[in-house]
Amino acid sequence: MSNASLLILPGDGIGPEVMTEVRKVIDWYGARRGLTFDVSEDLVGGAAYDAHGTPLTDATMAKAQEVDAVLLGAVGGPKYDVLDFSVKPERGLLRLRKEMDLYANLRPAQCFDALADFSSLKADVVGGLDIMIIRELTSGVYFGEPRGIHTEGNERVGINTQRYTESEIARVARSAFELARKRGNKVCSMEKANVMESGVLWREVVTEVHAAEYPDVELSHMYADAGAMQLTRWPKQFDVIVTDNLFGDLLSDLAAMLTGSLGMLPSASLGAPMANGRPKALYEPVHGSAPDIAGTGKANPIACILSFAMALRYSFDQGDEATRLEEAVNSVLADGLRTADLLGQEGVAPVSTAEMGDAIVAKLDASL
Ligand code: IPM
Ligand code: MG
């Protein structure tokens, strides 16, 4: 693996704290496994706005286009609520997704054995859960035109547009089928074809791609509301779920919580292959910037560390090393280490963000 480059964008809130722990892991791979990365760091979100008056500078955007992978912490915070939409921290993230054309957002919901009791659902419903939501990330109502707030007569009207082209649907469907072949070989596609034309087209295109290219994969369809219900009733019926940008946003939060804490879940956002064969890629935890606990040492670094594991697997072809890291996480949890978000039992003292990071690095050492 030569010249692998990583751009780290810690962002806002707990982003910088959890990223500090990821840097320990990255350094470990350099020192102990010979996996060295050219790491650069830059600003995104509110941090970039404070420094430059924009949530993502053109220079940072250009750098993101050049590197092998971007690792992002989190963006946003109450301080920025008053800003105009065009410069809100979230726009920085959305610009990265859009301009890098990261159309396939992989959001695994995996229940670690040690945390099965942690879910709001019964342990037998979530124990061993391992599903993957693939959320379309660059189109749909997040980006469709027309959009905006204007005045009609004597009142204001807010408008957003759900828009999908056939090719946008087909490419994310292919991502889902490809991934399913490496897992349980099942895809469930979710939309609202009962009320939305874009949903009718979504179902048709997914069905066509399946028949033409992936007849070996088991395909089912569900309305997204029923999908939400089934995810809470019996989530283990699913393997890969593919859905649009907005439904994917909702369903992935729901799936995340099945596992006990949002602080555990990583994500990968992937686009087309670059000249070197690696996909355009951005990795980030599913959780947000959690401004209420920022700076208190309470944040759970696991989602961000597991996002780096996804980078090892999907960008750098280091599946075995990704597994090593995931097992290190599993093992600290099995030992009973818990950050504050994972505390249910009384009398168990939480470990800090840094202690969790150090414990994971110690497990990596022990794995050699
Ligand atoms: C997510 C987040 C983002 C989204 C926000 C921060 C723009 O909720 O990644 O799920 O809505 O996509
Ligand atoms: Mg979300």
Side-chain angles (χ1 to χ4, degrees), residues 264-312:
M264 301 292 301
L265 294 185
S267 79
S269 304
L270 306 177
M274 298 184 282
N276 62 11
R278 291 178 178 140
K280 276 257 152 90
L282 180 147
Y283 299 87
E284 57 176 320
V286 172
H287 65 66
S289 57
D292 52 320
I293 59 164
T296 63
K298 285 189 187 156
N300 185 347
I302 290 179
C304 205
I305 287 173
L306 291 176
S307 297
F308 177 66
M310 290 187 90
L312 288 172

Side-chain angles (χ1 to χ4, degrees), residues 75 90 93-94 97 107 135 142 249 253 284 286:
V75 294
E90 288 78 4
L93 176 56
L94 295 176
R97 290 173 178 174
R107 299 192 160 186
R135 165 190 179 192
Y142 271 59
D249 183 42
D253 264 24
E284 57 176 320
V286 172

